Amino acid sequence: MTQKVAAKEKLFFPNLDGLRFFCFFIVFLFHCNEAIFRRINNVNDKAALSFLFQNGELGVNIFFVLSGFLITLLLIKEKELTTTIDLRNFYIRRILRIWPLYYLIVFFGFVLFSYGRYKAICDPRLLGDIRYYLVFASNFNVIKIWPQIAEAGLSVLWSVSVEEQFYLTWPVLLKFAGTKTYRYIFFGIIALTLVVRSFHLDHTDAGYAMRSFYTFSVIGDMALGGLMAYYCSYNSAIFRYITKMPRWQIVLLYGVTIFAMLFRQTLFFSPVPMVLERVILAILFALIIAEQNYAENSFFKFSSFKTISKLGIYTYGFYCLHFIATLAVLSAADKFNWKLDTIVSALIACVVALLLTIAIGLASYHFFEKYFLKLKNKFSVIVKN
């Protein structure tokens, strides 16, 4: 092994921590819309907030694209440095990063929470099926019980399960495939996603669940992120274009993305757009990720927002814990007869839930997750600078 590898290769994208926090924040607002804002009596206020935040779950889509981009980029770099990919060390790193907090929440949901709430829940499906959660297959449990969702903050773990399924297979593909074949693998997975989605176009709860939570309906997001990482790892025409992209085109990219997110239901309602929805959005998200990292003419960079970027470090904890914090605020509101039926009271509750999420997330990171993260770097070829 070269001295460069022995000393740990360093790689850091300063603008991605802020983007991570933004992804978490719009998911958080989506859940506020579902759990808090629906209590507002004024129809116009409720409709305005719903319009703004009803598609906040797209933050998960961005997370998927971002995961595909970063993991693929790191694996390509590792293969360049060592001529191979160490599968054992890769899985150890993922276990140390994901499993401790994930299983802590599973313990909370199925032991502490269920013990106190089992008799109060009329539908036992709302407790979730622990067998799915133990093996990172909770997205299939979500599909099974949709439109019901598991209580105790368990429902958000479906996306962690999809990511773990991705992590299980992705390094194997990249280890044994030739680098020149990567893009064909990525295109093939994207095509598979389109085929799978084409079988679930009905406007029913079952159809929505299969399009939104089934692994092979959403894995194209990671593949598209991986494809962007592939092009950005070499001096490709796409990479050169992104680097020199004119500012007006960058502004247009963000404008189109915001428009597509706000008017998603209208734009992707009919069958063909419905099939293409995730791919189109993933292309936009992948371009923004690359623009943030490499473009020389950006009109802003997330790293310029210092507080948001610092909070982005804790995003995994915020995401996993925010629904528990929101449920705690709602339980307190019910206990103390806080109606939350006006826009002001609802927004205050949302702010309180956000602050509680941040407090719990910071505590989780510094007093629990950090120990495992220190171990994680021992198994890394490339570390965060």
Side-chain angles (χ1 to χ4, degrees), residues 148-340:
Q148 303 295 331
I149 61 171
E151 291 199 9
L154 290 168
S155 60
V156 300
L157 297 181
W158 77 268
S159 62
V160 181
S161 294
V162 171
E163 295 227 12
E164 283 295 272
Q165 295 160 28
F166 165 70
Y167 295 145
L168 181 65
T169 57
W170 206 246
V172 177
L173 288 174
L174 271 58
K175 176 182 175 69
F176 294 107
T179 305
K180 292 183 179 180
T181 67
Y182 283 1
R183 55 181 165 177
Y184 303 112
I185 294 173
F186 303 155
F187 278 121
I189 293 172
I190 294 167
L192 173 64
T193 298
L194 296 177
V195 171
V196 171
R197 291 177 63 82
S198 69
F199 286 98
H200 305 285
L201 299 179
D202 49 306
H203 291 280
T204 62
D205 290 330
Y208 175 84
M210 289 296 293
R211 291 193 304 274
S212 301
F213 307 116
Y214 183 53
T215 304
F216 292 109
S217 292
V218 303
I219 199 72
D221 293 354
M222 283 89 154
L224 221 150
L227 184 64
M228 182 59 75
Y230 173 83
Y231 285 127
C232 290
S233 295
Y234 308 102
N235 190 29
S236 66
I238 291 176
F239 176 73
R240 293 193 300 271
Y241 167 75
I242 291 171
T243 302
K244 301 298 181 182
M245 186 186 297
R247 181 166 293 184
W248 71 267
Q249 292 184 11
I250 295 174
V251 173
L252 180 63
L253 169 63
Y254 281 87
V256 169
T257 303
I258 293 170
F259 181 84
M261 292 176 71
L262 286 175
F263 296 96
R264 172 191 176 199
Q265 277 83 1
T266 302
L267 294 172
F268 301 107
F269 181 81
S270 56
V272 173
M274 194 182 297
V275 171
L276 298 174
E277 175 189 355
R278 288 195 83 102
V279 170
I280 293 172
L281 291 172
I283 290 172
L284 295 173
F285 299 150
L287 285 171
I288 287 175
I289 291 167
E291 179 272 330
Q292 281 290 313
N293 287 331
Y294 305 112
E296 298 174 358
N297 300 312
S298 300
F299 65 95
F300 87 100
K301 296 287 191 183
F302 273 107
S303 60
S304 62
F305 303 99
K306 303 300 182 185
T307 301
I308 290 176
S309 293
K310 288 180 180 178
L311 289 174
I313 299 170
Y314 311 101
T315 298
Y316 176 57
F318 292 164
Y319 175 78
C320 289
L321 295 164
H322 79 275
F323 209 71
I324 295 175
T326 303
L327 289 173
V329 171
L330 288 173
S331 296
D334 292 339
K335 181 176 181 179
F336 295 102
N337 200 29
W338 185 17
K339 296 297 185 181
L340 304 182

Side-chain angles (χ1 to χ4, degrees), residues 17-131:
D17 284 336
L19 180 59
R20 284 191 187 96
F21 183 82
F22 171 77
C23 295
F24 149 73
F25 188 58
I26 63 174
V27 173
F28 170 80
L29 290 174
F30 168 75
H31 285 136
C32 283
N33 182 58
E34 293 292 307
I36 298 176
F37 299 154
R38 65 169 52 191
R39 299 188 177 199
I40 297 173
N41 287 334
N42 186 288
V43 175
N44 292 329
D45 291 343
K46 188 188 299 186
L49 291 171
S50 178
F51 170 74
L52 290 174
F53 306 132
Q54 64 182 338
N55 294 314
E57 79 270 28
L58 291 177
V60 175
N61 298 44
I62 306 175
F63 273 132
F64 284 167
V65 178
L66 186 55
S67 292
F69 176 85
L70 288 174
I71 292 298
T72 303
L73 195 69
L74 290 172
L75 291 176
I76 288 174
K77 295 294 184 185
E78 179 178 345
K79 199 167 186 179
E80 288 178 347
L81 289 168
T82 68
T83 71
T84 189
I85 293 171
D86 190 322
L87 296 178
R88 170 183 170 272
N89 283 354
F90 175 86
Y91 293 132
I92 290 174
R93 292 195 302 270
R94 291 298 90 200
I95 287 171
L96 291 171
R97 182 66 190 102
I98 302 297
W99 287 24
L101 182 57
Y102 176 89
Y103 281 114
L104 181 64
I105 296 173
V106 170
F107 176 79
F108 171 83
F110 285 103
V111 179
L112 301 181
F113 181 89
S114 295
Y115 179 78
R117 290 292 302 279
Y118 181 80
K119 292 182 179 179
I121 296 176
C122 298
D123 189 343
R125 295 182 303 168
L126 301 185
L127 295 171
D129 188 331
I130 193 171
R131 294 172 297 178

